[in-house]
Amino acid sequence: EASARSKALVVQRELAAAAQMDGTQVRLETVQAMTGYGTSSIYKRMAEGTFPKPVRRNPRCVRWVAGDVKAWLARTQETTTA
């Protein structure tokens, strides 16, 4: 339970930083919170070339650039409202 709470706090901090700075690198959990998509949906869209690719920080760590995800969200919303 404590680790779930700490993960939730990390996501909240990353969402707050992403709202202010487009260059912020965010974790998968934060991307999920931003988009409402699960892990498999995000990776499926990446494979299709329709979702931003993450930045690999080391062999076991990837982060998404918040500005890329926000721009993708804006494009997606434009096409669904048009």
Side-chain angles (χ1 to χ4, degrees), residues 12-30:
Q12 286 177 343
R13 281 195 302 260
E14 287 183 351
L15 283 171
Q20 295 177 10
M21 297 181 290
D22 285 343
T24 300
Q25 293 184 354
V26 295
R27 300 167 185 244
L28 175 61
E29 292 88 353
T30 305

